[in-house]
Amino acid sequence: MKATCWILAGFYLLFCCKAEEGLNFPTYDGKDRVIDLNEKNYKQALKKYDMLCLLFHEPVSSDKVSQKQFQMTEMVLELAAQVLEPRSIGFGMVDSKKDAKLAKKLGLVEEGSLYVFKEERLIEFDGELATDVLVEFLLDLLEDPVEILSSKLELQAFDQIDDEIKLIGYFKGEDSEHYKAFEEAAEHFQPYIKFFATFDKGVAKKLGLKMNEVDFYEPFMDEPVHIPDKPYTEEELVEFVKEHRRATLRKLRPEDMFETWEDDMEGIHIVAFAEEDDPDGFEFLEILKQVARDNTDNPDLSIVWIDPDDFPLLITYWEKTFKIDLFRPQIGVVNVTDVSSICPE
């Protein structure tokens, strides 16, 4: 108990020390940055910012609970707008009733969704509406759609990414028409799917890539899939990724949790809860990975892995809803339509 008190005291001193003010978490400074968008000001907002994020919301009802929830959502946007202000990223809100014409004009469809306008693209944010998740998502969206690998160290970092879909291609250079097609295809999936490229013969040789060839890596698989019929057009690459993007084993991530959860097999998910840093969870996860590898060609198998450590605020809710103990690994079948748990193990 005494040791815990000293640790807490140490953290208190750390954050109170003037020399370490840079470590403090940002707090809302009281300046309103989120715009109430309408037909009169939307063109100006689109021109002003490199990216514009819009919350398309239903009219706020008069009851206190709804108003409080809306204020909390608005505060998430305000804090994100404050943090990202130097990056020329703007935030706004569109009322689905009051600004219905504007919503239709902009292509906003689903109430409660956050849409991002980047150049001529419209990207829907399908993640947890928390400031840190949203900021990270938008910073990723600011990056180039393709990351270039040119050294052994960068290749090692690439190899460490095993829980996400990734593609890598080998091209002559940035001016290659085949690289440009690859880059344009990457823009369709940024930042949800990672695209990499190399112009280095040595890196390409280690990856087993030939000129203008692209490999598709499914999460947790040992070997990639060579995309056939090289060289490819932008449309062919986009079509291939869309056809193969549902992996046999997927990890639920805060930045795209709703997209993954809604992408079910006829309303059903096989869901596995396991903490990767826990010995039992790690062993359980290794078994899941092997099951996925053995059944990767089965189009009717889809497993969603949830690491409870990634969603601490949802642990109690999941335990009550599914009647399980998340202190140990769990697997079961979940009906997504009514969020009921069927035969958990």
Side-chain angles (χ1 to χ4, degrees), residues 89-200:
I89 300 177
F91 290 78
M93 294 189 290
V94 178
D95 189 299
S96 62
K97 184 177 181 180
K98 186 175 67 175
D99 301 305
K101 289 183 179 179
L102 176 61
K104 186 176 182 180
K105 188 179 294 185
L106 295 175
L108 312 183
V109 178
E110 188 175 350
E111 290 180 340
S113 292
L114 187 73
Y115 294 89
V116 183
F117 289 84
K118 182 186 179 184
E119 297 171 350
E120 296 182 358
R121 296 171 56 207
L122 178 62
I123 303 116
E124 185 176 356
F125 174 67
D126 274 318
E128 178 186 2
L129 193 54
T131 300
D132 57 339
V133 177
L134 179 56
V135 168
E136 184 176 359
F137 174 87
L138 294 170
L139 289 176
D140 285 345
L141 199 50
L142 278 180
E143 299 289 334
D144 292 332
V146 179
E147 185 173 341
I148 307 301
L149 305 183
S150 54
S151 69
K152 290 182 180 179
L153 285 176
E154 290 173 341
L155 184 57
Q156 288 175 8
F158 170 83
D159 289 336
Q160 293 299 313
I161 303 170
D162 71 343
D163 61 350
E164 302 178 47
I165 293 174
K166 58 185 180 180
L167 290 87
I168 185 163
Y170 173 40
F171 306 98
K172 188 174 182 180
E174 290 187 4
D175 295 330
S176 161
E177 62 176 309
H178 306 304
Y179 171 73
K180 291 185 183 300
F182 182 75
E183 187 178 38
E184 288 167 358
E187 290 179 351
H188 288 263
F189 303 100
Q190 188 191 16
Y192 292 115
I193 295 178
K194 296 185 180 297
F195 280 65
F196 298 84
T198 186
F199 311 131
D200 184 280

